């Protein structure tokens, strides 16, 4: 069971924060939540049931198996923030909001460039789960292979995670996918607006006998594919074309068994935006004349994935066995002359990554007081890299000896294995106290060979329907990405303008951390909830990432020692047509001594960090978000919803004198959305909506090009106006 400070009721726009409590019976609604009495923004008329089979029986079986799957992997004792369909629909862009922008509305999530977010002071370290199955990491940087419109419900799970969650543990983005039963019929939408914005999408779901199916896809074109490196209203050379698609097919074999297949893919093409007024660093073919506003750099990102699952219920036991695979490709095309003049290297780069594996999770209610859970994950991954580049020769001091380019080539082909197994017990000590304790064992065999046995324990106390408190400890083992720059690649650049000043390249190691978390939630009245959470992390070999050169990918490195700590305050209120929420979080993340991939850094930077504790570049002291939604005529076919929110940050780090010694200016971005239902005879209704992003056109900087591992300046999106028409059939 769990706390839920803003439950979504029949279309209400609400965010749900909570601490996972004990027992699958409480997986959807916390004790003390009042039943809904109004319908602020009524759903469209339901699609007619599909022909064939005994529909009611199949629907009941599917729902029961959904609940059973949730009981296999509960977030017991962790902090869970849920985004219901109504909450997402109330956001600017609604279901078409990118996943990273949805997550910014959760407590402790800081915004960064390239579509990245930082959860509780961590850089990346997020895992994504589709219907309970962990999706392997890919190579995408600017784009996410997943889309918000895939999900019927989305959750961010943080804190001291139970033993079933391993490898990526700053946060778990848990997506419950739509199905033909949850979203029957067809829906088409089209969005257009400023900045050459155009985004059509289409979804269709249904059921035929025992087979349930759901398909969805979208295309996106706009002129702001990546953050603008200048404060100008419109970036130069920044268009993008992307598509996302997903299919989910489920078959009920009998009342206790089902199989499902999930397949999806994405493709994205990006122009790398230009920063005018830059000075070339090198002469090429006798010339140093090149305008940085004319650079033509391109990057492509492709991802395809598939998941095949078998779910079974037998007596007091439930399990799910899944096979998964993910294929990712990244290609970078430089400006042949411009890259060489400005960066000293013009690389044509290709990277691929194929990960395939098995995941098993099961639960067994051994006694009324004990529920045992166990599982494993095994994954094989192959990562390849091939770069053909043009460089200039240099002397021993690094001074070019010729302005005639020469060619070099380097690459790698790595295979790695990842293993994880866990066992845990949910112990109902008393009616008000539940203890969830367990062990994980994780091992990697790739660029390094490492393993760790990790204890986990969470205690939840719920003395009444008003107060719920929790405390937990988790030992974490976080493997580094398999694809790393090897010493052969560094040797290939020796004696050229691409050679690093530091040639040391110790292997990137797995992060090992002790994580402590405690908090509580109170419900003083109907629809009103407040929460508090505090965390402290002590890490050895803390993993961080930086953007060093081209292609635009992130390279991992370790801080030998690090501490991350913070607190989060949350509140929400839901009553009738009103829905309000607010979050504010404070975080402090610091590290000492970079002890791997040292070639990415300047000698003086390495020397300083070896002797001093510095803020991590992605550390933002205060992060906040708040939103309000009101629905006019909530019980009418002509319902109108007005919603708005604000995102606040005190700025990521920058370097003035010493590494990461200052923060960028504080910013606050206000967004507004207006949605109007339109009943259309013979259909399930239409909705027209107006979204204004950055209503007051606030100019704010996410990065200024300085700081450890920061490659370029980036500014937040300027005012953007979008209009969407969606129609359900």
């Amino acid at each position: 069971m769990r706390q839920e400070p803003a439950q979504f009721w029949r279309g209400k726009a609400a965010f749900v924060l909570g601490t996972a409590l004990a027992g699958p019976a409480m997986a959807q609604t916390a004790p003390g939540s009042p039943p809904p009495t109004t319908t602020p923004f009524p759903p469209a008329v339901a699609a007619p049931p599909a022909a064939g089979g005994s529909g009611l029986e199949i629907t009941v079986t599917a729902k029961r198996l959904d609940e059973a799957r949730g009981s296999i992997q509960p977030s017991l004792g962790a902090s869970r923030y849920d985004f219901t369909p109504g909450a997402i629909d109330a956001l600017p862009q609604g279901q078409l909001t990118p996943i990273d922008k949805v997550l910014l509305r959760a407590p402790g999530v800081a915004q960064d460039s390239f579509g990245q977010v930082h959860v509780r002071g961590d850089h990346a370290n997020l895992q994504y789960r589709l219907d309970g199955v962990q999706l392997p990491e890919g190579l995408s940087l600017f784009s996410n292979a997943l889309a918000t419109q895939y999900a019927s419900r989305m959750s961010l799970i943080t804190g001291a995670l139970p033993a079933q969650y391993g490898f990526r543990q700053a946060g778990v983005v848990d997506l419950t996918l739509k199905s033909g039963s949850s979203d029957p019929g067809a829906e088409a939408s089209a969005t257009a607006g400023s900045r050459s914005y155009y985004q059509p999408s289409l979804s269709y779901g249904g059921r035929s006998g025992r087979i349930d199916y759901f398909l969805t896809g979208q295309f996106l074109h706009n002129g702001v594919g990546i953050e603008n490196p200048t404060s100008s209203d419109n970036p130069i050379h920044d268009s993008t074309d992307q598509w996302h698609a997903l299919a989910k097919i489920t078959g009920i074999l009998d009342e206790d068994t089902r199989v499902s297949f999930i397949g999806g893919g994405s493709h994205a093409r990006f122009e790398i935006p230009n920063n005018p007024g830059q000075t070339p660093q090198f002469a090429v073919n006798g010339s140093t004349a090149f305008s940085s506003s004319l650079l033509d750099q391109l990057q492509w990102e492709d991802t395809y994935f598939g998941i095949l699952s078998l779910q079974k219920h037998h007596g007091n036991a439930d399990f799910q066995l899944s096979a998964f695979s993910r294929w990712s490709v990244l290609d970078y095309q430089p400006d042949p002359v411009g890259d060489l003049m400005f960066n000293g290297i013009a690389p044509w780069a290709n990277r691929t990554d194929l990960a395939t594996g098995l995941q098993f999770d099961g639960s067994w209610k051994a006694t009324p007081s004990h529920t045992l859970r166990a599982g494993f994950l095994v994954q094989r991954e192959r990562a390849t890299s091939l770069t053909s580049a043009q460089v200039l020769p240099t002397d021993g001091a690094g001074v070019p000896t010729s302005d005639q380019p020469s060619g070099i080539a380097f690459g790698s082909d790595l295979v790695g294995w990842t293993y994880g197994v866990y066992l845990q017990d949910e112990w109902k000590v008393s009616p008000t106290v539940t203890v969830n304790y367990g062990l994980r064992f994780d091992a990697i065999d790739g660029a390094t060979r490492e393993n760790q046995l990790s204890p986990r324990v969470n205690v939840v106390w719920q003395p009444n329907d008003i107060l719920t408190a929790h405390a937990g400890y988790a030992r974490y083992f976080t493997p580094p990405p398999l694809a790393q720059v090897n010493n052969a690649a560094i040797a290939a650049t020796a004696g050229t303008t691409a050679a690093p000043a530091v040639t040391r390249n110790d292997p990137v190691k797995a992060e090992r951390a002790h994580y402590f978390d405690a908090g509580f939630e109170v419900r003083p009245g109907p629809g009103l909830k407040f929460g508090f959470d505090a965390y402290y992390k002590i890490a050895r070999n803390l993993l961080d990432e930086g953007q060093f050169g081209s292609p635009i990918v992130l390279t991992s490195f370790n801080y030998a020692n690090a501490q991350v700590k913070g607190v989060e305050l949350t509140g929400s209120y839901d009553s009738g047509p009103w829905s309000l929420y607010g979050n504010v979080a404070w975080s402090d993340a610091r590290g000492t001594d970079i002890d791997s991939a040292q070639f990415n850094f300047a000698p003086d930077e390495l020397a300083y960090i070896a002797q001093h504790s510095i803020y991590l570049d992605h550390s933002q002291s205060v992060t906040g978000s708040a939103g309000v939604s009101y629905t006019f005529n909530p019980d009418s076919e002509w319902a109108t919803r007005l919603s708005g929110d604000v995102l606040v940050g005190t700025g990521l780090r920058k370097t003035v004198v010493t590494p990461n010694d200052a923060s960028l200016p504080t910013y606050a971005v206000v967004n507004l959305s207006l949605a109007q239902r339109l009943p259309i005879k013979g259909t399930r209704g239409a909705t027209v909506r107006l979204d204004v992003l950055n209503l007051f056109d606030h100019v704010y900087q996410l990065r200024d090009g300085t700081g450890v591992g920061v490659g370029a300046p980036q500014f937040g999106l300027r005012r953007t106006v979008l209009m969407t028409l969606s129609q359900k059939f």
Side-chain angles (χ1 to χ4, degrees), residues 635-649:
D635 298 315
S636 166
E637 291 181 323
W638 295 89
T640 305
R641 182 183 58 226
L642 178 63
S643 58
D645 64 15
V646 59
L647 302 174
V648 178

Side-chain angles (χ1 to χ4, degrees), residues 19 110 118 227 254 439 447 463 525 719:
T19 299
H118 305 295
E227 287 82 5
D254 58 49
L439 285 172
R719 182 192 293 126

